[in-house]
Amino acid sequence: MKSGRKQVKRMTGAMRIIHWANAISMVAAVITGLYIGHPYYQTLIADGAVDKYVMAWNRWGHFIVAIIFDVTSIVVAYLYFFSRFEKPYKKLIPNGKNVTEFGEVLLNLVTLNRRKKFDSTHSDSFNTVYFAIFHLLLVWMLFTGLQLYVHGLESGESSIGAWWPAMLHLVTDWTIPITGGSLMDVRISHHVTMWLIVTWVAFHIYYQIWRTIFWKEGDIAIVFGGSKFAKEQES
């Protein structure tokens, strides 16, 4: 570690496991979701894809990773408010300090300069708002995804009882009028939101690499070792 820097713990082991579980689930959800929307590959075995249940396996995989994705995201949302390690929600409060900090980070990104007139020891306001948007997109994906899922239980019955589809209708039917009035509108919204999340991920990776290169505090190492190396004079 260079002199003038201090090691700062930013993520616990559990937080890193959640991060990578989210990342892997997201990749799997995109791959299977694109296939469900538009089957783009065929089984290499001579039998047709329909005989190998390719669509069924993709739907099953999509459902499983979506559950993992949603559960881990709910845990992250809980930690936003009640974590004893770091409470990001405090950075969402639109007070003078947070607004100034948000503007400073945005100015750095737009102008590609190395000015950093705020404490970068912990997550800044820009990063916290950016992650809040990510979780709102995930919530929308959860409701629209479950609406598309319950549409397959038209009989009103399921293997675990009629209460399951009834509950899903109760909590997700509102997505139909909001998106345009038909199930196809829900499907399109679900698909478009997926691309918004993919765009979010691309910028998230770019931003972390950008911070690592410009500020030289090892931000990219946080998701691997849990720590970064902040400049002591700026913390």
Side-chain angles (χ1 to χ4, degrees):
M1 182 171 60
K2 293 182 178 179
S3 60
R5 297 174 190 272
K6 62 178 180 179
Q7 185 173 3
V8 181
K9 187 73 173 178
R10 288 292 313 279
M11 295 181 78
T12 64
M15 292 168 73
R16 278 175 277 153
I17 290 174
I18 290 173
H19 173 274
W20 289 113
N22 261 343
I24 295 171
S25 297
M26 186 182 299
V27 172
V30 170
I31 292 173
T32 53
L34 288 175
Y35 182 87
I36 294 169
H38 182 75
Y40 56 88
Y41 67 87
Q42 175 64 285
T43 172
L44 297 177
I45 302 175
D47 299 334
V50 65
D51 297 321
K52 295 299 178 185
Y53 308 108
V54 178
M55 177 60 80
W57 279 113
N58 273 276
R59 286 183 177 277
W60 179 83
H62 193 73
F63 187 66
I64 295 300
V65 296
I67 291 175
I68 297 173
F69 211 168
D70 292 331
V71 170
T72 55
S73 297
I74 290 171
V75 173
V76 172
Y78 173 83
L79 294 176
Y80 247 67
F81 297 95
F82 303 109
S83 171
R84 291 184 295 178
F85 183 72
E86 199 173 75
K87 290 183 171 58
Y89 83 89
K90 293 183 178 178
K91 291 288 184 179
L92 295 175
I93 301 172
N95 55 35
K97 179 183 177 182
N98 289 339
V99 171
T100 301
E101 186 176 273
F102 184 96
E104 280 291 328
V105 177
L106 186 61
L107 184 64
N108 274 259
L109 280 167
V110 172
T111 61
L112 298 178
N113 63 46
R114 297 177 187 276
R115 191 176 78 169
K116 182 165 64 64
K117 296 182 177 179
F118 58 89
D119 182 5
S120 60
T121 305
H122 295 280
S123 184
D124 56 69
S125 297
F126 179 88
N127 215 21
T128 307
V129 170
Y130 190 60
F131 268 89
I133 293 172
F134 173 63
H135 284 93
L136 290 175
L137 291 173
L138 291 183
V139 169
W140 180 245
M141 289 296 275
L142 167 66
F143 284 117
T144 53
L146 287 175
Q147 171 58 220
L148 295 173
Y149 164 74
V150 75
H151 181 68
L153 304 173
E154 289 183 275
S155 66
E157 296 290 340
S158 72
S159 59
I160 56 176
W163 66 271
W164 175 238
M167 185 189 72
L168 291 181
H169 276 297
L170 180 65
V171 298
T172 67
D173 280 356
W174 58 272
T175 61
I176 297 178
I178 283 182
T179 53
S182 71
L183 198 64
M184 181 53 71
D185 294 316
V186 178
R187 189 180 301 279
I188 292 172
S189 178
H190 192 75
H191 184 79
V192 170
T193 306
M194 177 206 72
W195 286 114
L196 291 177
I197 291 176
V198 170
T199 304
W200 185 97
V201 171
F203 183 78
H204 168 62
I205 295 172
Y206 165 79
Y207 179 49
Q208 297 307 318
I209 294 175
W210 184 89
R211 289 177 65 111
T212 303
I213 294 174
F214 276 73
W215 294 346
K216 302 183 185 306
E217 294 185 340
D219 288 88
I220 199 70
I222 295 173
V223 291
F224 299 101
S227 302
K228 64 176 287 184
F229 301 94
K231 297 175 183 176
E232 290 187 281
Q233 66 271 22
E234 296 180 357
S235 61

